[in-house]
Amino acid sequence: MSTNFTSLSTSADKEEKYMFLLPQLKSLLKGEEDFVARLSTAMAVLKEAFDFLWVGIYMVNDRNLIVGPFQGPVACLRIPFGKGVCGKSWEQKEAIIVPDVDQFPGHIACSSLSRSEIVVPAFGENKEVVFLIDVDSSELNTFDLIDLKYLNQLIEIIIEKN
Ligand code: SME
């Protein structure tokens, strides 16, 4: 199986890219039970496909988020509950799309290059947030409901038992 996620033409719109990469990710993860391996591979696939500035995981740990597998510049290691976009998404138990990080009160600038952002929470069986996917772009207005839809599918692929 090819793992060349950049093989789609650059004109392919992002929905096509997601539809191309998600089945490949599912196939890559088949039979792998290690959670860190699943998270890491998913983040690498996302970074390869879109070349976003930063893609990564924040894991819920007591009253903090702790950075998990990621691709991109060094980022904050811990984010308190309710702080920044990630902490707010955790608190509100819902995804947040930020078209312009400068307009989001309390945004935590791990990289000065970040201009827009999406954070999508993943829920455990008790409906509590277990981890979040955070994706940062160096362009304004990068993320919309298409990203939300497919990042939720990506979370399903990561957490599903196979
Ligand atoms: N911008 C995030 C912090 C994490 S970095 O973007 C990787 C926030 O405000 O929560």
Side-chain angles (χ1 to χ4, degrees), residues 64-82:
N64 286 289
L65 298 170
I66 303 181
V67 76
F70 70 94
Q71 303 259 325
V74 170
C76 312
L77 275 69
R78 288 178 182 249
I79 298 174
F81 182 75

Side-chain angles (χ1 to χ4, degrees), residues 103-118:
Q103 304 304 315
F104 189 96
H107 168 259
I108 299 168
C110 291
S111 165
S112 60
L113 297 177
S114 179
R115 311 295 326 140
S116 59
E117 177 166 1
I118 184 170

Side-chain angles (χ1 to χ4, degrees), residues 139-153:
E139 311 281 333
L140 291 168
N141 298 307
T142 298
F143 305 105
D144 56 25
L145 294 178
I146 297 288
D147 301 280
L148 177 57
K149 172 182 172 182
Y150 288 101
L151 290 175
N152 271 318
Q153 290 186 16

Side-chain angles (χ1 to χ4, degrees), residues 85-96 119-121 132:
V85 185
C86 294
K88 273 276 176 270
S89 173
W90 177 19
E91 183 178 38
Q92 296 172 356
K93 297 186 177 183
E94 58 186 26
I96 301 179
V119 178
V120 184
L132 305 103

Side-chain angles (χ1 to χ4, degrees), residues 39 42-44 46-47 52-59 66-72 75 86 118-120 131-136 154:
L39 291 169
M43 294 305 98
L46 201 54
K47 174 75 171 167
F52 291 129
L53 175 66
W54 197 91
V55 303
I57 301 294
Y58 277 97
M59 301 294 307
I66 303 181
V67 76
F70 70 94
Q71 303 259 325
C86 294
I118 184 170
V119 178
V120 184
F131 67 89
L132 305 103
I133 294 182
D134 180 12
V135 187
D136 285 49
L154 184 138

Side-chain angles (χ1 to χ4, degrees), residues 4-54:
N4 178 10
F5 294 100
T6 57
S7 61
L8 272 184
S9 95
T10 51
S11 64
D13 73 17
K14 68 178 166 188
E15 183 152 33
E16 286 176 334
K17 281 193 182 180
Y18 280 117
M19 290 171 71
F20 179 76
L21 74 90
L22 289 181
Q24 294 201 42
L25 175 64
K26 194 176 169 76
S27 172
L28 274 172
L29 298 187
K30 191 165 180 55
E32 178 52 66
E33 293 180 358
D34 185 88
F35 194 49
V36 173
R38 298 179 73 85
L39 291 169
S40 305
T41 301
M43 294 305 98
V45 163
L46 201 54
K47 174 75 171 167
E48 279 290 296
F50 291 100
D51 199 26
F52 291 129
L53 175 66
W54 197 91

